Amino acid sequence: MFIDRLVRQIKEKRSNVVVGLDPRLEMIPRFIQEKYFQQYGKTLRAVEEILWEFGKEIIDQVWDIVPAIKPQIAFYEQYGIEGMSAYRRICQYGAQKGLLIIGDVKRGDIGTTSKAYAIGHLGKTQVEGEAFEAFSVDAVTVNPYLGDDCLKEFMEDIKEWDRGMFVLVKTSNPSSGQLQDLEAGSKKIYEVVAEMVSAWSSETLGSCGYSSVGAVVGATYPEQGERLRALMPRTYFLVPGYGAQGAKAEDILPCFNEDGLGAIVNSSRDIIFAYAKKDQLWKEDQYGEAARAAALRMREDINNHLVQQGKCYW
Amino acid sequence: MFIDRLVRQIKEKRSNVVVGLDPRLEMIPRFIQEKYFQQYGKTLRAVEEILWEFGKEIIDQVWDIVPAIKPQIAFYEQYGIEGMSAYRRICQYGAQKGLLIIGDVKRGDIGTTSKAYAIGHLGKTQVEGEAFEAFSVDAVTVNPYLGDDCLKEFMEDIKEWDRGMFVLVKTSNPSSGQLQDLEAGSKKIYEVVAEMVSAWSSETLGSCGYSSVGAVVGATYPEQGERLRALMPRTYFLVPGYGAQGAKAEDILPCFNEDGLGAIVNSSRDIIFAYAKKDQLWKEDQYGEAARAAALRMREDINNHLVQQGKCYW
């Protein structure tokens, strides 16, 4: 199952770090940009190659120290067909390197439409009896606003193709509380979603004791992480917000169970663009090493905090 | 402004009908499928041409009797790069025919990521000072679960590029009430979202008196449509659920204002696959005429009900 593959990688690499690929063209080293603008002109075709080369180098630098990468499809989608092609190539390359790929697509729609998204991002598209993978990855993020008959369609492909999903429960952005924190009776909306997720989780428990149906729980709201951990004991958390968004390792600890498992922590900009940080002395062409160093620092930071709390799987 | 262009078309064509393009490969006439499978084999490339020919014929048949079409991107996305290419070609062709294009993408994410979606689906992508359109259309559907700092990013491109959006308020699917109908204090969640939308609407009022920031309000819940009409007087409603999903013209009337405006009504399968309905006598190669006849019937059905209610703009 997806979740067993994830936990195995977490243990083997002793890492809960997920590298988020949110490429901003203007932040990609200039020498890469120039190389392809010279070859293809100022075109989206050039951008595809720039995104691909940048993403490939990041993967080559982190594949052995993190269990998963999380490409954010929006940053590819904004470059059209060529951007989507770069997204696809990067997902496929990461999988070849043994990484689990979490497509941060945040899709979600009514039943039949969610089914199409599930086929496109988790399953296989049938054409005259032949099966094709459109943008299939190991797991995707899903938006719950439309309720269970949306999630149900993703469940079908999760079971059929041995995939996973992380449902948005409590997001890391400043205005996330506007709807998610509202109190409906005795429960907050994110708690209602947590109960939906927990119910689906119980249908896809792996031998590791966790489920292939996970939850997105922003690290920027630690007290809520603790509450949600209690509401979804068997649910793996995908935790955004570490680093650039302001959350620290101590903020993330409540998302882990006593066994030291239960959460993977994403960082995007702070890792992939570490070379450009003011306090760093990296040269532009060392952006890959800089990303690896940042991912190693983050792994150590989280592991040290887990050890201090006695939340340890090794 | 987008909303002025929409209302002008509604009045010129005396039509509130939006044709939803939700192509299901297996329901597309066999002769079209065979033509391209013979030419390109059992490939996604063949599917791209099948989706394109089918979509183009529907547009050629309805462009003069409806103000807008609403391609559902999921049904293209599931066919990968080639599917996305078909989506793009169909959106561009519809625009050439003078139709307004509403991309049913239901995107929504944290601030910087929503910005990327907004650029990709409403705005222009900047590459070395050159501007490219990725999948830009006149308006998109947006998911509000992440709150205002998500919607804010779409607002920027709506204002800069003269576009629009329809925010999911109350969706048409069976489980939509699971979160959307929960009561937070004195308000239901969809009412809280309605107030968010109404606030953004006031920033983008057109000379027609309506706003380029609209709302998705499912016709399958008429009593809620009435309540929402009162909460969002200047907001245009995109109303799904007519036809295949079970809603009738009378269910949709509450979504209209006394001026006979305020709502556009979407129908997908019942129009684009009208040729295949049991009670119809169309031949397969008449699928275009069948779609036109179905769109005309729907326009007449809604207009007759509006006249009966004295909700009339002509």
Side-chain angles (χ1 to χ4, degrees):
Chain A
M1 282 185 114
F2 162 73
I3 194 62
D4 292 322
R5 301 203 305 276
L6 178 62
V7 170
R8 193 180 317 119
Q9 289 237 11
I10 289 167
K11 290 180 170 176
E12 281 170 9
K13 296 169 176 175
R14 201 168 287 191
S15 176
N16 309 295
V17 174
V18 174
V19 176
L21 296 177
D22 300 14
R24 290 159 172 76
L25 187 60
E26 65 279 11
M27 291 184 70
I28 292 177
R30 191 63 204 168
F31 73 92
I32 302 177
Q33 297 189 49
E34 272 158 9
K35 174 175 163 189
Y36 292 107
F37 285 135
Q38 277 163 27
Q39 187 173 346
Y40 295 103
K42 296 177 181 181
T43 62
L44 293 178
R45 181 73 184 84
V47 174
E48 175 180 348
E49 293 306 318
I50 293 163
L51 294 175
W52 159 245
E53 177 166 320
F54 180 76
K56 180 180 181 299
E57 169 66 6
I58 299 292
I59 289 168
D60 286 337
Q61 290 284 346
V62 302
W63 70 271
D64 61 327
I65 56 170
V66 303
I69 57 172
K70 182 177 72 64
Q72 170 48 262
I73 199 168
F75 288 98
Y76 299 90
E77 208 167 309
Q78 70 178 330
Y79 295 110
I81 301 297
E82 293 82 357
M84 294 298 275
S85 177
Y87 171 82
R88 191 164 187 270
R89 290 165 68 186
I90 286 165
C91 290
Q92 289 175 336
Y93 184 72
Q96 284 169 33
K97 299 289 284 186
L99 287 163
L100 290 170
I101 315 298
I102 301 168
D104 197 350
V105 302
K106 294 189 178 67
R107 303 304 197 240
D109 208 304
I110 66 171
T112 53
T113 308
S114 277
K115 179 65 183 175
Y117 279 130
I119 288 171
H121 291 279
L122 292 176
K124 294 195 164 108
T125 299
Q126 298 296 329
V127 177
E128 296 288 282
E130 311 265 331
F132 296 87
E133 291 198 350
F135 300 105
S136 285
V137 290
D138 296 290
V140 291
T141 53
V142 176
N143 187 308
Y145 190 65
L146 279 74
D148 271 333
D149 57 24
C150 159
L151 301 182
K152 178 178 157 298
E153 301 296 333
F154 285 90
M155 284 304 293
E156 285 180 10
D157 289 77
I158 284 167
K159 291 176 179 175
E160 182 174 3
W161 304 106
D162 191 14
R163 309 293 199 184
M165 71 173 162
F166 294 89
V167 179
L168 304 185
V169 172
K170 174 64 187 180
T171 57
S172 58
N173 56 309
S175 72
S176 68
Q178 205 172 356
L179 291 184
Q180 298 163 27
D181 294 0
L182 291 178
E183 295 232 6
S186 59
K187 296 172 194 159
K188 291 196 186 313
I189 297 303
Y190 68 78
E191 294 173 323
V192 175
V193 177
E195 290 173 352
M196 286 165 57
V197 171
S198 197
W200 289 114
S201 292
S202 64
E203 286 190 23
T204 52
L205 284 176
S207 55
C208 64
Y210 287 95
S211 171
S212 289
V213 175
V216 172
V217 177
T220 42
Y221 303 97
E223 67 293 341
Q224 296 173 338
E226 189 161 12
R227 172 88 181 107
L228 289 168
R229 184 71 279 171
L231 279 173
M232 300 181 281
R234 298 293 100 208
T235 302
Y236 234 88
F237 290 7
L238 170 59
V239 183
Y242 178 96
Q245 288 185 58
K248 308 236 168 308
E250 47 267 43
D251 302 321
I252 290 153
L253 291 176
C255 293
F256 287 89
N257 278 318
E258 292 310 313
D259 60 7
L261 297 170
I264 44 176
V265 185
N266 180 79
S267 178
S268 303
R269 278 163 288 174
D270 274 13
I271 292 178
I272 66 175
F273 298 125
Y275 82 95
K277 292 187 107 182
K278 300 260 175 311
D279 61 340
Q280 305 285 318
L281 297 169
W282 299 98
K283 298 198 193 63
E284 212 183 36
D285 63 359
Q286 296 175 299
Y287 72 97
E289 295 94 311
R292 181 179 179 85
L296 284 168
R297 266 201 314 280
M298 179 175 166
R299 176 176 75 169
E300 191 183 6
D301 180 30
I302 294 170
N303 286 350
N304 288 343
H305 281 78
L306 285 172
V307 170
Q308 286 163 27
Q309 292 250 322
K311 290 183 171 180
C312 218
Y313 50 77
W314 60 83
Chain B
M1 284 183 107
F2 162 74
I3 193 62
D4 292 322
R5 301 203 304 276
L6 178 63
V7 169
R8 192 179 318 119
Q9 289 236 11
I10 289 167
K11 289 179 170 175
E12 282 170 9
K13 296 170 176 174
R14 202 169 286 191
S15 175
N16 309 294
V17 175
V18 174
V19 175
L21 296 176
D22 299 13
R24 290 159 173 74
L25 186 59
E26 65 279 11
M27 291 182 71
I28 292 178
R30 191 64 205 166
F31 73 92
I32 302 177
Q33 296 189 49
E34 272 159 9
K35 174 175 164 189
Y36 292 105
F37 286 135
Q38 277 164 24
Q39 186 174 347
Y40 295 103
K42 297 177 180 181
T43 62
L44 293 178
R45 181 74 184 84
V47 174
E48 175 180 348
E49 293 305 318
I50 293 163
L51 295 175
W52 159 246
E53 179 168 318
F54 179 76
K56 180 180 181 299
E57 168 66 8
I58 298 292
I59 289 168
D60 286 336
Q61 291 283 347
V62 303
W63 70 271
D64 60 328
I65 56 170
V66 302
I69 56 172
K70 182 177 73 64
Q72 170 50 260
I73 199 168
F75 288 98
Y76 299 91
E77 209 167 309
Q78 69 178 329
Y79 295 110
I81 301 297
E82 293 82 357
M84 294 297 275
S85 177
Y87 171 83
R88 191 165 187 271
R89 290 164 68 186
I90 286 165
C91 291
Q92 289 175 337
Y93 184 72
Q96 284 170 32
K97 299 289 283 186
L99 288 164
L100 290 170
I101 314 298
I102 301 168
D104 197 350
V105 302
K106 294 190 178 65
R107 302 305 196 241
D109 208 304
I110 67 171
T112 53
T113 307
S114 276
K115 180 64 183 175
Y117 279 130
I119 288 171
H121 292 279
L122 292 177
K124 294 192 169 135
T125 299
Q126 298 296 329
V127 177
E128 295 289 282
E130 310 265 332
F132 296 88
E133 290 198 350
F135 300 104
S136 284
V137 290
D138 296 290
V140 291
T141 52
V142 176
N143 187 306
Y145 190 64
L146 278 73
D148 272 334
D149 56 24
C150 159
L151 301 182
K152 179 177 158 295
E153 302 295 333
F154 284 91
M155 284 304 294
E156 285 180 10
D157 289 78
I158 284 167
K159 291 175 178 176
E160 182 174 2
W161 305 106
D162 192 13
R163 309 294 199 182
M165 70 173 162
F166 294 90
V167 180
L168 304 184
V169 172
K170 174 65 187 180
T171 57
S172 58
N173 56 309
S175 73
S176 68
Q178 205 171 355
L179 291 183
Q180 298 164 28
D181 294 359
L182 291 178
E183 295 234 5
S186 59
K187 296 170 194 161
K188 291 195 184 320
I189 296 303
Y190 68 77
E191 295 173 323
V192 175
V193 177
E195 290 174 352
M196 286 165 59
V197 171
S198 197
W200 289 114
S201 292
S202 64
E203 285 190 23
T204 52
L205 285 176
S207 56
C208 63
Y210 287 95
S211 171
S212 290
V213 175
V216 172
V217 178
T220 43
Y221 303 96
E223 66 295 339
Q224 296 173 338
E226 188 162 14
R227 172 90 181 105
L228 289 168
R229 184 70 280 171
L231 279 174
M232 299 182 282
R234 297 294 101 205
T235 302
Y236 234 88
F237 289 6
L238 170 60
V239 183
Y242 179 95
Q245 288 184 56
K248 309 232 167 311
E250 48 267 40
D251 302 321
I252 290 153
L253 291 176
C255 293
F256 287 89
N257 278 317
E258 292 309 312
D259 59 7
L261 297 171
I264 45 176
V265 185
N266 180 79
S267 179
S268 303
R269 278 164 288 173
D270 274 12
I271 292 178
I272 66 175
F273 298 125
Y275 82 95
K277 291 187 107 181
K278 300 261 175 310
D279 60 342
Q280 305 285 318
L281 296 170
W282 299 99
K283 297 197 192 65
E284 212 182 38
D285 62 0
Q286 296 175 300
Y287 72 97
E289 296 95 311
R292 181 179 179 86
L296 284 168
R297 266 200 314 280
M298 179 174 166
R299 176 176 75 169
E300 190 182 6
D301 180 30
I302 294 169
N303 286 351
N304 288 343
H305 281 78
L306 286 171
V307 170
Q308 286 162 27
Q309 293 250 322
K311 291 183 171 181
C312 218
Y313 50 76
W314 59 84

